[in-house]
Each structure stands twice: as C-alpha cells, then as structure tokens.
Amino acid sequence: MRDEETGLRARLVDVGVELVAREGAQALTLREIARRAGVSHGAPRRHFPTHLELLSAIARRGFAELGGRVAAVTGGDDAGPRRRIEELARVYLEFASGNPGMYELMFRHDLLESGHLGLRDTSLPLFGVLVDLVGRVRPGADARAVAGALWANLHGLAQLWRWGSLQLATGTEEFGPLLDTVLTAHLGAGDAR
C-alpha cells in the first residue's frame, strides 16, 4: 500500500510536469491533474492537501532540471568564472525558451508554497552559484546585489524574448548580442573566455 501511495504521488507530479509542458501553468488544476492521472478528483488531496503544494512539487522538478543543466556547465574549473556565468546565462535562457510553462510556474513564488516541500532548498542554491561566480568576477562588489540585478535582467530578457518583444524592438533573431550586453553591464568589459 505504501509503495502504491508513493507511486500515486509521483504520478500526480509527473502528470503535472507533462501538463505544464503542453498547456502551460494555467492548466494545472487539481481536477485536471487527477483526471489525467486516472484517479478521482479528491485523490490528490491525500498527498497534496492544497493546490499550492502540488504546484510546488511540480516546480521543484523544474528547478531540479534547471539545476542539473547549470551544474553541467558551471561545475568544472576549465573555464574562468566570467565564462561560466555566460554559460549559466545561456542555459537559463534556453531553459526559459524551451520550457515556457514550467519556467513561468517556477518563478511564481507568490503562487507556490516556497518554504514547503523543500522548494527553497532546490531554488536558492542556483542563485548561490551565480552569487559565487559574480563574487569571483567582481571581488570588490556586493556579489549578492549584482547577481540579483543580473538575474532580474536575464529573467526580463527571457520573458521579453518569449513574447517576441525584443526581436521586434532590436530587429534581431539572436539573443547572443543582447546577452553579451547584459553581461557587460553587470560584470564590466572583459574577455568572456
């Protein structure tokens, strides 16, 4: 019975991840997730007493995936910290572009139970990686503040790019030059290699 219950919990999250990928965050209702999981509409409440808890569990999967991608490009010491920030930023923008529903859900902490289900334990270390790298590139700066501003700029770039606004305004179909400008604005001029 215990394995069956654990399996149902995982299945509900799996269905939510699939649903957000196909239809976006607005499609994530308890009733729809239950229907697609093949259970009664009350069944999710045994594992997720609130809708927010289920959304948080789904978002946690997104943070885990993004964290894995970030670790793959920032874990080695082959490249300097500035180059690693560039790689992290590209991964972030590519994730946002390729997973718009999950991306939207992940950063809606106003909708999520951020302190529940370990969501903060999954999301905050990603920011910590950025803070650490910024501190290495700009040792005299407030690394947390610079990283926060850089992240806000990347988030805006991702969102405006997804909406097509930046392509229209800049006349470009490549986000690379914009990313270079963002990095220079926050990290100063320098060789990104």
Side-chain angles (χ1 to χ4, degrees):
M1 179 76 160
R2 191 120 171 95
D3 288 339
E4 184 177 308
E5 290 297 313
T6 302
L8 176 56
R9 180 182 173 85
R11 189 165 83 235
L12 291 168
V13 175
D14 290 344
V15 167
V17 168
E18 182 179 315
L19 186 59
V20 76
R22 290 182 184 204
E23 298 180 32
Q26 73 283 353
L28 293 173
T29 65
L30 281 175
R31 188 175 294 274
E32 185 59 18
I33 291 171
R35 186 185 74 73
R36 291 185 185 211
V39 298
S40 73
H41 69 272
R45 296 235 184 247
R46 287 195 304 267
H47 301 284
F48 303 100
T50 69
H51 183 225
L52 297 180
E53 289 185 45
L54 179 53
L55 292 180
S56 296
I58 294 165
R60 183 178 167 97
R61 289 268 186 95
F63 278 114
E65 181 180 342
L66 178 57
R69 291 182 187 190
V70 166
V73 299
T74 61
D77 287 328
D78 309 3
R82 186 181 175 95
R83 177 66 178 168
R84 290 163 62 192
I85 291 172
E86 178 183 326
E87 292 170 354
L88 181 154
R90 284 190 186 285
V91 163
Y92 184 86
L93 294 174
E94 289 166 359
F95 181 88
S97 176
N99 304 279
M102 180 62 83
Y103 179 77
E104 178 186 345
L105 177 64
M106 287 166 57
F107 294 103
R108 289 295 311 268
H109 282 261
D110 59 320
L111 295 179
L112 303 175
E113 294 282 344
S114 301
H116 200 64
L117 301 173
L119 186 57
R120 286 184 182 149
D121 296 339
T122 308
S123 63
L124 291 179
L126 290 174
F127 184 65
V129 168
L130 184 58
V131 170
D132 176 61
L133 291 171
V134 166
R136 293 182 196 184
V137 173
R138 295 199 43 207
D142 178 346
R144 186 168 291 282
V146 173
L150 175 55
W151 175 36
N153 210 165
L154 290 174
H155 190 81
L157 176 58
Q159 194 66 40
L160 291 171
W161 192 264
R162 189 167 70 89
W163 290 335
S165 301
L166 281 174
Q167 296 90 319
L168 179 65
T170 63
T172 185
E173 292 300 318
E174 296 286 327
F175 70 73
L178 294 171
L179 176 57
D180 292 342
T181 301
V182 166
L183 294 173
T184 298
H186 294 286
L187 303 176
D191 183 10
R193 306 279 173 239

